[in-house]
Amino acid sequence: MAVVPSGKNKDLPVSAHLMRTLSTFSEQPPPPNLPNAEHDYNVAKRFLQKMDNDDESVWELLINALQKVGEYRGEVTLEIFQKILRALLRKSMTRDPNLFREFYLKSPPHRGSLGYCNVYRSLKYKFDIEERTPDPNTAPDPLTLQKMKLLTEAGVGLSEFECYNMMIAMRKLAENHKIAKARVWGKIYGLYKNYYVIECEADKDEIRIAQERDKLMTQEAKASAAAKKIKEQQEELDKNVDDMMRGMKEEVVAIKEGIVMALAGPEQQIQQLQTGVVTAEPVDPIAAQQLLAKYVMPPVPQPPVFKANIVPPETLGSGTNIRRYYVANDPWHEFVLLPDAVPAQIVTARCISKYLTGDLEAPVDSYPEFPGVEKHYLRSQIARISAGTIVCPVGVYTVPGGEEEIYNEEDMLPDGYLENTDYHPPPIKRLVDMQRNYWMHIRKYILPQGRTEYWKPPGDEGEFEGFEDWDEDELRGRLKPPILSLISRDDSPETDKCWSLRRPYRTTGLQNCITARSNVWPGAHAVTRGFLWENIYVGFAVKYLAHSYGPPPLPFPWDEYEIGPEIMEKTDPTPEEEEAWRQRHMPPTGAQVAPVGEGGEGGEGEEEDAE
Amino acid sequence: MDLEHISTSHDLVALSGNTLNIEKNSLLQSSLTVLLNDNHFRKVYFWGKIFGLDADYYVAFGYHKDLLRKPIYYYSKNAIDWVMLPKPTKTDYFLCQIITTRFMGDPALQTNVVDDKPTEENPIPKEPLKVEERNLYWRKHPTYILKEEDRIAATVKLINKQGIVVPRGALYKQPNGDIVHNESWYGMNFEDSKLLTSYFHFRKPENRWDDNVTKKINYNYAYDFMDPIDGDIPLHFAWSCQVVNTNRTAILRSLTWPGAISYNILESPVWGFLYFGPAKKNIDIPFMI
């Protein structure tokens, strides 16, 4: 601010140095030795208007300052002028938000926020002052928010924003689809996107239709339908193999012809020597083929035929498919129904360990090969996690005991137990007990077969009556724990204790809540407080492996040929033996005619296929 | 997580799948403030929680002058009484990587890591034959007992080294060489937050300094002295980078140490990292991607 030029002044003392600087801006240099006021003014103005990095110039600052001075009421002292300048400078130091984005691009949060707004708007629910408690069979759990808050207090779960939006999403889902007893199952992290999972029961009509269809299909038909599907897949594979093999077949033909030519030559020579007639005719191809027919080729090896026993999936409304799952990447996205769980997929999912990507149609590259895409894998993992980690305090549900006990058929839940109308929460002391005897599993155990009920393969002749021979049952994967078994019975080779029980609050008294954290599936939690209890899973959907993952070993390679004398290893004949063989096979000369082909049968390491 | 942010960032903690309830929030905020004053720290951070089978450990750290070189770590079982973590030895680092049991929740617990101890018939050779063998420190000083306290110290350091990142510019190297947090940093923008080149390992730089600097076009000596994470193996699958909460929060999950998250609310100075988990390194990533 040292240079304040006033161009009007003709006697402006401009130093030679400044003059040189300014002259670089001018297009038309003034005639030398002649002062030109207008030109000097323009040059000085341009110098002051030079922008710095922040698009600000001294000129603008001064203009603003002078404007403020003009607006100022009262005498402008030096102090006041300094104040004005300082205020202006401070204003120019504030960071301007991204101008470009503000005007030409939507801000990044815009799209998601718009999606949420649409979800909130599209809800049909209207508040009615006389509304009764909603029917639990159609509306989602009315206690959702309370339960989510309980989870959050217990040290697990979603943020409050997510909790609310999941509640809204469930409500919307219940309006658009026929679902019952919806609840938030949890959140699964993927590599690129996450999954929010809603669990619900299918509509009763749908279950009835599925059951009727299932009755019509006999067991064999089911198996054959599944086998047919596998066969189709296999055919498709074979077609690809055929394409590959076509080139190889041509090669085989060429090789065969080569053998014919090679064999025909020496045979002819022998004939010539024997008969003494020299024929110069070319090889007759037909004769050569006949000649080749003498040599018996080994049969082409065929792959062994496997009898595939496809375990049929359980029908909707029973076993692993009692519940259905809807997933979405964000609570405002459209929730997508996952396909039903299939035993083959569950069995394969147990052998592999994969991260999810966030795309339902992404392929699952694994060994052993997973039969399906990511949505099937996700469904299998959800089935496994639910079976292993959904627990509740003892007494919430009961099994009807004894034959005399009367209960209503309607009250029976699809899992095979009743809701206990007389439930009293166990004392807190018991719930955090090291014995872990006051929590129970409420989902059915999945057998190694991939079903909750054992399916007898058609070829299995043995009559299975259940729990007759425990050792054999366990060996063949038919043994399962009874429903509502206690978590103290859980056992895993990966950890010493499958469950860790915690008190999230040290200080509060009776209203204390208890958390059960699964150590087998990191991220699975169960929480209870008073009469409320809830489960959630938040994690990568990967099982805890103490000794790290090892893929199953590769199968043994198949034998290319049958092991026989043709391909056995033998010692090569010595030069002497070869010479002896040659002597014996010489064409007859003179009177002594040795019969051709009289090979030594003593087996002195001679070639056996010599004719 | 910065001590100053603990009370306001429930939702950020929830990104890790775990939350701190009102009681734990209050306890941490008060006890860490006391810790800061007692030790004359410049800043104190809440590091996270290690899940044990019987009890959990809360871990926090503070620094006087240099955040990367001389942070002082503390652990606590009840989030009130903080105990300084010992300095782990090379043996501890080695043993804590091969141990297969879980944390139990008892700092004084001593675990025998290796079952096949040397016997009279097969003693460990006094003079190792191979170079690789010589590098194993414990071959010379065979110790197989790992105390859980040492294990926490070594694991925390390892997680910092491999599983935790800071956004570019959040840490700042002063002219005298001290590395401190950058008061005037105002956050990443949306475009940068999706690039792995804009995150750095939370550790003393291990690469050559000119390697790190020349990777950036607009390099800055004060920021770019740290190791960027875009070269971690397996390439592109060592981290899961997402922008969540309707594109407001950038979050980076480590796949090597599942449970470690680093976050930054875009265009705001709120950044941090947290670890909630069983402190088990995931070496199965090649099978899992």
Side-chain angles (χ1 to χ4, degrees):
Chain A
M1 231 120 326
V3 185
V4 184
S6 68
K8 301 274 162 70
N9 192 348
K10 279 181 183 175
D11 304 318
L12 178 73
V14 182
S15 69
H17 169 72
L18 184 62
M19 196 62 216
R20 269 205 302 279
T21 322
L22 297 184
S23 64
T24 55
F25 292 97
S26 58
E27 291 116 21
Q28 291 174 337
N33 305 327
L34 263 181
N36 185 337
E38 191 136 345
H39 174 72
D40 287 352
Y41 170 72
N42 283 338
V43 168
K45 184 179 171 185
R46 270 190 226 169
F47 173 71
L48 290 178
Q49 280 178 334
K50 208 165 67 164
M51 299 279 188
D52 69 344
N53 288 337
D54 297 337
D55 291 355
E56 281 158 10
S57 62
V58 181
W59 179 266
E60 248 171 69
L61 184 73
L62 284 177
I63 293 274
N64 287 336
L66 290 177
Q67 198 175 353
K68 286 268 156 44
V69 168
E71 287 167 3
Y72 194 79
R73 294 183 179 186
E75 197 185 350
V76 179
T77 57
L78 179 66
E79 201 179 327
I80 293 208
F81 186 65
Q82 278 174 345
K83 260 187 195 169
I84 289 172
L85 272 184
R86 221 172 282 139
L88 281 172
L89 282 173
R90 201 178 301 134
K91 207 171 160 191
S92 73
M93 291 298 282
T94 52
R95 194 167 61 89
D96 214 14
N98 216 329
L99 281 175
F100 182 72
R101 180 189 291 159
E102 213 161 273
F103 287 110
Y104 300 102
L105 291 172
K106 285 168 185 164
S107 72
H110 175 261
R111 198 161 154 261
S113 310
L114 194 70
Y116 279 121
C117 284
N118 287 340
V119 171
Y120 301 147
R121 262 192 220 111
S122 67
L123 271 187
K124 289 171 197 151
Y125 172 78
K126 289 277 180 297
F127 175 70
D128 182 5
I129 198 116
E130 287 172 3
E131 79 177 357
R132 288 167 297 172
T133 47
D135 181 12
N137 288 324
T138 53
D141 196 345
L143 295 175
T144 300
L145 272 184
Q146 276 185 47
K147 285 181 173 176
M148 299 297 275
K149 193 146 186 292
L150 174 66
L151 287 168
T152 318
E153 279 184 29
V156 62
L158 313 175
S159 63
E160 286 183 10
F161 185 74
E162 282 169 319
C163 292
Y164 177 74
N165 285 318
M166 285 302 281
M167 199 268 284
I168 294 290
M170 286 201 307
R171 208 169 259 281
K172 197 188 163 200
L173 196 68
E175 281 176 1
N176 296 342
H177 301 270
K178 277 191 164 182
I179 58 167
K181 295 181 183 170
R183 93 183 175 89
V184 179
W185 186 85
K187 179 181 172 185
I188 294 181
Y189 301 137
L191 290 180
Y192 309 112
K193 280 178 179 170
N194 306 328
Y195 289 117
Y196 293 87
V197 186
I198 289 178
E199 180 186 78
C200 60
E201 282 179 18
D203 185 45
K204 277 186 179 154
D205 295 339
E206 264 183 82
I207 294 175
R208 208 174 299 125
I209 291 167
Q211 280 170 347
E212 290 295 324
R213 199 191 299 133
D214 192 57
K215 268 181 207 160
L216 289 176
M217 287 172 81
T218 58
Q219 266 194 342
E220 283 150 46
K222 261 192 285 183
S224 75
K228 201 176 159 194
K229 208 172 170 186
I230 295 288
K231 207 176 166 188
E232 274 169 17
Q233 285 175 0
Q234 193 61 42
E235 272 170 11
E236 204 167 300
L237 267 177
D238 286 349
K239 224 164 80 184
N240 294 342
V241 173
D242 277 351
D243 288 345
M244 256 166 47
M245 288 290 283
R246 198 162 294 138
M248 284 169 69
K249 270 181 188 162
E250 282 160 12
E251 213 172 289
V252 167
V253 170
I255 290 169
K256 270 187 182 172
E257 279 171 4
I259 293 171
V260 168
M261 298 298 283
L263 284 170
E267 290 266 346
Q268 222 171 21
Q269 275 180 6
I270 293 167
Q271 246 179 2
Q272 281 167 11
L273 285 169
Q274 279 174 349
T275 55
V277 184
V278 178
T279 49
E281 281 172 25
V283 182
D284 183 11
I286 296 166
Q289 286 284 349
Q290 285 167 351
L291 201 61
L292 186 67
K294 285 205 301 186
Y295 298 94
V296 182
M297 300 287 272
V300 179
Q302 297 291 333
V305 182
F306 289 113
K307 266 193 205 167
N309 265 337
I310 309 296
V311 183
E314 282 165 300
T315 45
L316 189 68
S318 68
T320 48
N321 287 324
I322 289 175
R323 289 168 183 83
R324 293 179 130 182
Y325 296 88
Y326 287 84
V327 297
N329 290 133
D330 263 319
W332 61 273
H333 284 186
E334 194 68 34
F335 274 76
V336 183
L337 175 64
L338 285 182
D340 285 351
V342 175
Q345 286 161 359
I346 292 179
V347 171
T348 321
R350 278 179 164 158
C351 304
I352 62 178
S353 174
K354 287 279 288 181
Y355 280 131
L356 295 154
T357 61
D359 176 13
L360 284 176
E361 301 298 330
V364 181
D365 301 327
S366 67
Y367 176 81
E369 192 186 351
F370 185 78
V373 292
E374 184 163 309
K375 59 183 174 187
H376 301 113
Y377 180 59
L378 178 62
R379 180 67 184 83
S380 312
Q381 291 298 84
I382 290 176
R384 291 176 64 202
I385 294 171
S386 305
T389 66
I390 294 200
V391 297
C392 75
V394 161
V396 176
Y397 296 109
T398 53
V399 187
E403 287 171 13
E404 290 92 44
E405 196 165 331
I406 300 156
Y407 61 91
N408 193 351
E409 207 47 62
E410 290 283 307
D411 291 343
M412 191 65 142
L413 294 169
D415 296 276
Y417 44 72
L418 299 165
E419 196 152 352
N420 188 1
T421 47
D422 198 20
Y423 168 60
H424 286 286
I428 285 161
K429 190 178 138 201
R430 299 279 178 224
L431 281 169
V432 283
D433 192 20
M434 292 288 267
Q435 300 295 325
R436 306 190 293 283
N437 271 337
Y438 279 79
W439 291 85
M440 62 184 186
H441 284 283
I442 51 172
R443 294 291 159 85
K444 285 178 183 169
Y445 175 78
I446 302 180
L447 294 167
Q449 205 180 32
R451 288 166 59 99
T452 54
E453 298 293 330
Y454 185 71
W455 174 77
K456 205 173 73 169
D460 192 0
E461 297 300 326
E463 201 60 33
F464 172 56
E465 296 293 337
F467 305 120
E468 283 201 340
D469 186 352
W470 279 63
D471 289 341
E472 204 208 338
D473 283 343
E474 195 167 1
L475 203 68
R476 304 180 64 167
R478 301 191 293 213
L479 189 68
K480 62 177 178 183
I483 50 172
L484 302 185
S485 62
L486 298 176
I487 64 169
S488 56
R489 291 181 52 152
D490 286 6
D491 190 21
S492 167
E494 309 295 343
T495 55
D496 300 343
K497 290 175 184 170
C498 293
W499 293 88
S500 291
L501 305 173
R502 293 279 187 282
R503 266 188 334 141
Y505 285 112
R506 292 151 33 93
T507 43
T508 53
L510 289 172
Q511 283 298 308
N512 211 333
C513 53
I514 307 292
T515 316
R517 179 198 302 145
S518 172
N519 291 325
V520 182
W521 290 96
H525 288 73
V527 186
T528 179
R529 179 169 67 191
F531 288 87
L532 276 185
W533 58 273
E534 184 60 321
N535 283 273
I536 198 166
Y537 180 83
V538 187
F540 279 106
V542 174
K543 202 169 183 171
Y544 180 83
L545 295 168
H547 299 274
S548 296
Y549 174 73
L554 289 168
F556 282 106
W558 288 356
D559 294 330
E560 201 168 351
Y561 303 104
E562 282 180 25
I563 305 290
E566 289 87 4
I567 59 163
M568 299 276 270
E569 201 174 331
K570 283 182 183 174
T571 34
D572 276 351
T574 55
E576 291 81 39
E577 284 166 351
E578 277 184 1
E579 182 59 25
W581 186 87
R582 203 181 62 81
Q583 289 285 343
R584 277 202 302 282
H585 289 74
M586 281 287 277
T589 47
Q592 285 188 341
V593 178
V596 178
E598 192 195 50
E601 274 128 28
E604 295 168 1
E606 289 184 6
E607 307 230 359
E608 286 187 9
D609 55 347
E611 278 273 312
Chain B
M1 169 171 286
D2 199 330
L3 167 62
E4 307 303 320
H5 295 155
I6 283 182
S7 58
T8 52
S9 47
H10 294 84
D11 288 3
L12 288 173
V13 184
L15 289 177
S16 72
N18 294 272
T19 52
L20 295 170
N21 59 25
I22 187 73
E23 183 194 90
K24 291 292 176 288
N25 257 316
S26 319
L27 293 184
L28 283 174
Q29 204 177 356
S30 320
S31 65
L32 287 180
T33 314
V34 171
L35 189 76
L36 180 129
N37 282 315
D38 286 358
N39 293 283
H40 307 289
F41 284 131
R42 180 161 172 178
K43 246 184 180 314
V44 164
Y45 295 85
F46 174 58
W47 184 86
K49 194 171 165 185
I50 292 177
F51 296 154
L53 290 186
D54 291 340
D56 303 336
Y57 297 107
Y58 295 85
V59 180
F61 68 97
Y63 74 99
H64 295 290
K65 278 184 174 174
D66 194 311
L67 179 54
L68 287 189
R69 294 204 191 91
K70 282 172 196 165
I72 300 169
Y73 283 86
Y74 292 84
Y75 75 95
S76 164
K77 280 176 74 173
N78 54 7
I80 304 174
D81 309 316
W82 294 92
V83 185
M84 193 149 83
L85 276 175
K87 193 169 184 290
T89 61
K90 274 188 182 175
T91 320
D92 294 337
Y93 280 122
F94 179 69
L95 290 180
C96 88
Q97 291 185 67
I98 60 170
I99 193 168
T100 55
T101 55
R102 295 276 294 257
F103 281 89
M104 290 305 287
D106 178 11
L109 182 80
Q110 299 200 332
T111 321
N112 193 351
V113 178
V114 187
D115 282 340
D116 44 351
K117 276 191 287 190
T119 53
E120 299 267 323
E121 293 92 47
N122 301 318
I124 286 185
K126 289 273 194 229
E127 283 300 315
L129 302 172
K130 292 177 191 166
V131 181
E132 303 94 64
E133 280 178 286
R134 206 181 304 147
N135 288 339
L136 297 181
Y137 182 84
W138 63 275
R139 282 249 171 209
K140 288 183 198 163
H141 309 276
T143 328
Y144 300 95
I145 305 291
L146 184 59
K147 199 178 165 194
E148 190 145 301
E149 200 176 31
D150 295 332
R151 191 182 165 191
I152 303 171
T155 314
V156 166
K157 288 278 169 68
L158 275 179
I159 292 176
N160 277 346
K161 222 172 181 181
Q162 297 163 354
I164 279 177
V165 300
V166 291
R168 176 173 181 246
L171 294 187
Y172 175 77
K173 196 178 202 171
Q174 286 180 334
N176 62 0
D178 286 346
I179 298 155
V180 295
H181 84 283
N182 189 350
E183 294 276 3
S184 63
W185 185 69
Y186 54 83
M188 286 186 292
N189 58 21
F190 180 65
E191 289 77 21
D192 280 352
S193 67
K194 289 177 167 179
L195 301 174
L196 288 188
T197 44
S198 43
Y199 298 92
F200 294 140
H201 276 293
F202 184 67
R203 65 183 183 206
K204 281 183 279 182
E206 289 175 358
N207 302 353
R208 285 162 54 93
W209 71 273
D210 47 350
D211 276 8
N212 286 340
V213 164
T214 49
K215 273 190 178 175
K216 293 274 185 321
I217 302 167
N218 56 343
Y219 62 85
N220 186 331
Y221 289 116
Y223 303 154
D224 292 316
F225 63 97
M226 297 168 79
D227 299 336
I229 62 165
D230 57 339
D232 290 0
I233 49 171
L235 273 185
H236 311 302
F237 288 104
W239 304 92
S240 148
C241 180
Q242 297 179 0
V243 187
V244 295
N245 195 6
T246 59
N247 289 346
R248 275 175 217 278
T249 314
I251 170 166
L252 209 69
R253 286 200 177 85
S254 171
L255 303 181
T256 328
W257 289 94
I261 62 158
S262 311
Y263 58 82
N264 173 219
I265 298 181
L266 297 181
E267 315 217 351
S268 87
V270 179
W271 66 273
F273 45 79
L274 280 171
Y275 181 84
F276 281 87
K280 167 89 169 68
K281 189 178 177 182
N282 181 15
I283 57 171
D284 306 330
I285 305 180
F287 295 114
M288 300 174 74
I289 51 179

